[in-house]
Amino acid sequence: MYGLEEKRQQVLDYLNSLSDEQASQKPDENTWSVLEIAEHLYLMEGFIIQKIDKTIRGGERVETTKKPIHHTPDRSHKVDAPEGLKPKGDFKTVQDALEGLKRSREATLFLLHNKEEETLQSYSFPHPVFGEMSLEQWAEFIGWHELRHLDQMKETVEKNK
């Protein structure tokens, strides 16, 4: 569904290749560790799913155009995470990250499997870069966002060598 599982599997495979020490190292105080990046993915997925659910329950139907969300992995354009979606250090081990990501994905799949495609296409809320996006595109965005941060994880580990 929306390529979420294939993209997530790449993140999980990478996390599973790291030791807790590798995953917790930071190249400098202003850079997130791999565990912090994973926590951001967990927080972001939960935020998006809550917004999708809230929008369906109380939002107005708004038709939007398709946005080029497939460009999300391009890290040449820096985007700062909103304060509430920044990691707080809750993941201490790779296992913590894997379990958190499993929980957020279960919630995502539960919500999406119980919604009609037409519903996801006819409601929207704004994205800070792409503007108004349909709920369907928001669901797909989760995977593209994860690929963006998978590259960041790899860069972080490389910088720590």
Side-chain angles (χ1 to χ4, degrees), residues 90-131:
D90 291 343
F91 294 168
K92 306 291 186 208
T93 66
V94 170
Q95 190 60 38
D96 290 344
L98 295 171
E99 289 170 8
L101 292 171
K102 181 180 182 214
R103 283 191 312 273
S104 64
R105 184 50 47 90
E106 286 172 350
T108 297
L109 295 177
F110 179 79
L111 179 74
L112 295 178
H113 283 331
N114 291 300
K115 301 296 178 256
E116 296 292 326
E117 188 175 302
E118 188 272 330
T119 299
L120 295 173
Q121 292 170 351
S122 61
Y123 287 92
S124 66
F125 62 92
H127 183 278
V129 174
F130 296 112

Side-chain angles (χ1 to χ4, degrees), residues 7 40-41 44 48 67-79 127-130 133 137-152:
K7 292 174 178 84
H40 167 70
L41 296 178
M44 183 67 135
I48 291 170
K67 305 302 189 285
I69 60 174
H70 61 281
H71 290 299
T72 302
D74 177 2
R75 296 192 64 242
S76 65
H77 305 289
K78 181 131 171 73
V79 179
H127 183 278
V129 174
F130 296 112
M133 278 187 355
Q137 276 211 290
W138 271 105
E140 184 183 350
F141 172 79
I142 293 168
W144 292 114
H145 178 256
E146 290 185 351
L147 291 184
R148 176 184 184 87
H149 287 293
L150 175 59
D151 287 344
Q152 183 185 10

